[in-house]
Amino acid sequence: MAATEVTGFALRPFSALSGADRARVALARVLAQRAPLLPLDEPTAVVEVLPHPRTGAVLVVPRREP
């Protein structure tokens, strides 16, 4: 939860969160499983894997081509 900065939501019901906050919590759940693959909403051919600038956690970002 700390890696995705959602610890502030721990005592709130999931149904009380906004859509964006629900998405962050869902991502935190996936990352906590240490899954070798990260499911994405849509097929992504090219992604960048970067360290988070503050925490060093792994960020998987779709690369958008112009």
Side-chain angles (χ1 to χ4, degrees):
M1 291 180 75
T4 53
E5 300 178 0
V6 294
T7 53
F9 305 143
L11 299 178
R12 294 174 57 192
F14 187 77
S15 60
L17 300 176
S18 70
D21 291 341
R22 287 180 187 191
R24 290 174 58 197
V25 169
L27 177 61
R29 287 177 177 167
V30 170
L31 293 177
Q33 295 175 12
R34 302 276 186 226
L37 297 174
L38 180 65
L40 302 173
D41 287 345
E42 59 187 53
T44 304
V46 181
V47 296
E48 293 186 67
V49 179
L50 308 165
H52 187 280
R54 270 192 326 224
T55 65
V58 175
L59 296 176
V60 179
V61 182
R63 188 183 314 163
R64 300 195 184 261
E65 302 294 332

